[in-house]
Amino acid sequence: MTFCTTCALPSLTQFASPGLVEAIVEGTFDRAADPAWETSGASTVEDYALWCGHLCGMTCLRMALGPDAPSLFELRDGALKYGAYTVDAEGDIHGLIYAPFAEYAREELGLDATVHRHLTVDEIAGLLDTGRTVMASVHYGIRRPERPAPGRGGHLVLVTARDGDRFHFHNPSGISPETRCAELPLTMFGTFFAGRGVSLGPGQEAGSGPGHGAGPRA
């Protein structure tokens, strides 16, 4: 496990082999051939291949929990029990659904998880200043910030700190060490950001969290 020198949290990818992330996301490598798939906690390589592309949120959660976090697929299984993901009759996976995810994080993992249906970049900065981390919905194109943002939302990154007008964040599908533990000016981050997310903080015992309301999908 690699730890970030800026925020000290783990740097993790949603794919079991960090060195293969670029090839997997570009479609030039079959994720079912990932040699490290068992380290994800998946029960079979088929389960891993089906789900790993959907687990950016669980990877963010795992990083926020720190080095003693459960495996990626243990977290997936817990989130499934709370309805944070759904699978339709055609086998298509939908989620992460924020409200049941936040309930799972509170009830089972002891985190103070809050859904933010409407969130600005400045509000993320304020949450960071109070010691929280933020799972922010961004476009996956944020892994190539030198290119114009092709859209907003659909992927989750964990924003962990800021330095003045720059955000530091961990990207579960970063294609290099520099894009896995990345920094961007707030204005540039905002061009990828969909204006919603979930903030996380310590301080609640498992089983003591409040109820939840409806929340957006990632």
Side-chain angles (χ1 to χ4, degrees):
M1 185 176 288
T2 301
F3 291 88
C4 177
T5 57
T6 297
C7 66
L9 288 177
S11 173
L12 303 171
T13 60
Q14 65 195 86
F15 305 102
S17 296
L20 294 174
V21 172
E22 183 171 16
I24 291 172
V25 298
E26 296 295 336
T28 60
F29 185 88
D30 182 0
R31 63 190 68 181
D34 190 327
W37 71 267
E38 289 180 287
T39 64
S40 69
S43 58
T44 66
V45 68
E46 291 81 11
D47 192 32
Y48 169 77
L50 177 65
W51 276 90
C52 60
H54 298 272
L55 296 181
C56 53
M58 292 301 99
T59 306
C60 288
L61 175 61
R62 193 166 179 241
M63 290 188 282
L65 288 169
D68 297 324
S71 74
L72 184 60
F73 275 71
E74 286 180 89
L75 293 174
R76 187 280 310 261
D77 291 345
L80 271 171
K81 291 177 182 177
Y82 276 75
Y85 295 99
T86 61
V87 183
D88 65 25
E90 287 71 41
D92 293 327
I93 298 165
H94 302 278
L96 186 70
I97 306 170
Y98 290 171
F101 164 75
E103 183 181 18
Y104 167 55
R106 289 191 297 260
E107 297 292 332
E108 301 293 338
L109 302 170
L111 292 176
D112 177 10
T114 301
V115 174
H116 301 271
R117 303 182 197 178
H118 304 287
L119 189 62
T120 67
V121 168
D122 286 342
E123 286 169 340
I124 292 177
L127 290 165
L128 296 173
D129 289 346
T130 68
R132 299 177 73 81
T133 59
V134 179
M135 292 170 52
S137 178
V138 300
H139 193 278
Y140 61 77
I142 202 167
R143 60 178 169 248
R144 297 188 186 277
E146 71 280 4
R147 301 177 183 177
R152 299 171 187 262
H155 178 60
L156 287 162
V157 299
L158 183 69
V159 189
T160 66
R162 75 173 177 122
D163 182 7
D165 64 351
R166 298 178 69 84
F167 279 155
H168 175 80
F169 61 95
H170 290 197
N171 184 356
S173 68
I175 57 176
S176 66
E178 295 75 23
T179 59
R180 288 172 204 138
C181 293
E183 289 194 4
L184 284 180
L186 274 63
T187 52
M188 185 180 292
F189 185 92
T191 65
F192 297 90
F193 178 48
R196 60 182 181 268
V198 180
S199 66
L200 302 172
Q204 292 194 24
E205 296 296 330
S208 65
H212 67 282
R217 296 176 186 267

